[in-house]
Amino acid sequence: MPRIAYVNGRYVRHRDAVVHVEDRGYQFADGVYEVCEVRAGRLVDERRHMQRLARSLDELSIAWPLSPSAVAVILREVVRLNRIGNGIVYLQVTRGVAPRNHAFPNPAVRPSMVVTARELDRAAMDEKAAHGISVITVPENRWDRVDIKTVGLLPNVLAKQTAKEAGAYEAWFVDRDGFVTEGSSTNAWIVTRDGVLVTRPAEHGILRGVTRSVIFAFAEREGIRLEERAFTLEEAQAAREAFMTGASTIVLPIISVDGKRIANGKPGPVAGKLRSVYHHHAEVAPA
Ligand code: PLP
């Protein structure tokens, strides 16, 4: 069965899926994206992902390429055509194709939209979660609008590569004041010695993760103490637990940061619990 992608109005073979050389996403990273988990063929937390997409588009003054309901149909169709059981669907919208010029095209051109999907190895991810992962830190070097989910991800790419070369799974950015912002593609969390969940406020310096928002709602419902505040690298290294969240990894326990073991060096119970209950609290869309 060939992989199928959606590109600007057509469903095409993945290997033939191309965009124009003057697409502004390709030339300027002038575009936004979303990654939505697919579970048993259904989209997870679609409503929140679409809300965030709307915000990202609005922040960059990019029009919706199609109506939100048409986008929803295409996401489902790409999942169906690729027979995705458990995996992810990727959606990218750019400002469109225009002669290379930094200013926005005037008049505006039609935004480009691409959707792909792929199966993920859930068992491998569960295995990773069972053992826990290691994180290294890198200096925060991104622009101050990382709250917009743009495809301009070069610092994130370099951070992840640095982690990989160091034998770690993720890199945490640390700002000038020594506070952890977030991972290269995940939000960062700790559990303090008093059992309080701590993660950085989403107003500044991080992406408001959908997985993060679901955990907030869960904590509120269950009466789990949660503090939205910045934490330092040292606080993380002295924490009872650390973990990261994202749509394709859900919750992954962290067992070391910059080579320093977290607590006893084993995945903690809070992260384990959050991972196991996550899908009871996520919203699963109709097929
Ligand atoms: N932070 C960054 C920089 C990301 O790229 C991502 C996801 O791609 C996240 C956090 C987690 O967001 P979500 O939970 O919506 O996947």
Side-chain angles (χ1 to χ4, degrees):
M1 184 197 69
R3 272 187 84 189
I4 302 293
Y6 171 90
V7 185
N8 292 328
R10 296 193 309 138
Y11 295 95
V12 295
R13 279 175 182 248
H14 190 266
R15 64 162 190 253
D16 302 325
V18 290
V19 294
H20 195 276
V21 288
E22 287 198 307
D23 190 286
R24 289 178 63 95
Y26 178 60
Q27 294 198 322
F28 296 117
D30 187 2
V32 301
Y33 75 106
E34 280 296 327
V35 177
C36 188
E37 187 195 1
V38 178
R39 198 172 154 86
R42 309 277 179 95
L43 300 173
V44 178
D45 298 320
E46 179 190 16
R47 182 182 59 87
R48 285 187 169 100
H49 283 287
M50 289 302 108
Q51 275 175 356
R52 188 171 62 188
L53 175 67
R55 178 178 182 277
S56 298
L57 289 169
D58 191 52
E59 290 291 331
L60 298 185
S61 304
I62 297 176
W64 278 82
L66 298 163
S67 68
S69 54
V71 171
V73 169
I74 292 164
L75 292 177
R76 282 164 181 69
E77 189 61 3
V78 172
V79 168
R80 190 186 69 78
L81 289 170
N82 290 282
R83 297 193 198 144
I84 305 298
N86 297 313
I88 49 168
V89 61
Y90 175 89
L91 162 72
Q92 177 172 316
V93 178
T94 73
R95 198 177 306 279
V97 176
R100 189 176 182 282
N101 190 340
H102 287 57
F104 298 172
N106 186 12
V109 292
R110 200 162 54 97
S112 302
M113 178 166 130
V114 167
V115 180
T116 57
R118 71 186 164 97
E119 192 77 18
L120 289 184
D121 186 348
R122 285 282 162 230
M125 203 50 89
D126 286 345
E127 181 77 8
K128 226 175 240 322
H131 290 99
I133 56 105
S134 297
V135 163
I136 53 121
T137 62
V138 294
E140 179 63 88
N141 60 356
R142 299 174 301 162
W143 73 328
D144 63 3
R145 292 309 311 275
V146 294
D147 55 299
I148 309 172
K149 199 165 168 63
T150 80
V151 294
L153 291 173
L154 191 52
N156 309 58
V157 166
L158 297 177
K160 182 81 175 186
Q161 182 62 21
T162 302
K164 192 174 169 189
E165 287 171 12
Y169 185 73
E170 176 62 302
W172 274 359
F173 291 108
V174 176
D175 71 16
R176 280 189 193 174
D177 302 317
F179 292 98
V180 174
T181 55
E182 62 180 336
S184 71
S185 62
T186 53
N187 288 123
W189 300 72
I190 57 168
V191 181
T192 66
R193 300 256 158 198
D194 305 329
V196 182
L197 273 176
V198 179
T199 196
R200 193 176 170 108
E203 278 64 43
H204 247 315
I206 68 163
L207 180 76
R208 189 185 295 275
V210 166
T211 319
R212 176 185 181 280
S213 298
V214 172
I215 290 177
F216 266 62
F218 169 69
E220 193 174 337
R221 221 172 295 143
E222 299 289 312
I224 298 170
R225 277 196 297 160
L226 192 158
E227 276 176 22
E228 208 177 0
R229 64 168 173 83
F231 58 86
T232 61
L233 169 60
E234 291 70 29
E235 192 180 0
Q237 288 174 324
R240 188 193 279 178
E241 287 185 43
F243 62 93
M244 58 184 225
T245 58
S248 49
T249 48
I250 312 301
V251 177
L252 274 188
I254 294 167
I255 54 170
S256 83
V257 179
D258 278 348
K260 188 150 190 322
R261 219 169 60 170
I262 306 295
N264 63 359
K266 300 230 159 60
V270 175
K273 162 101 177 159
L274 290 172
R275 183 175 179 83
S276 67
V277 302
Y278 184 83
H279 291 104
H280 301 305
H281 299 274
E283 295 172 5
V284 181

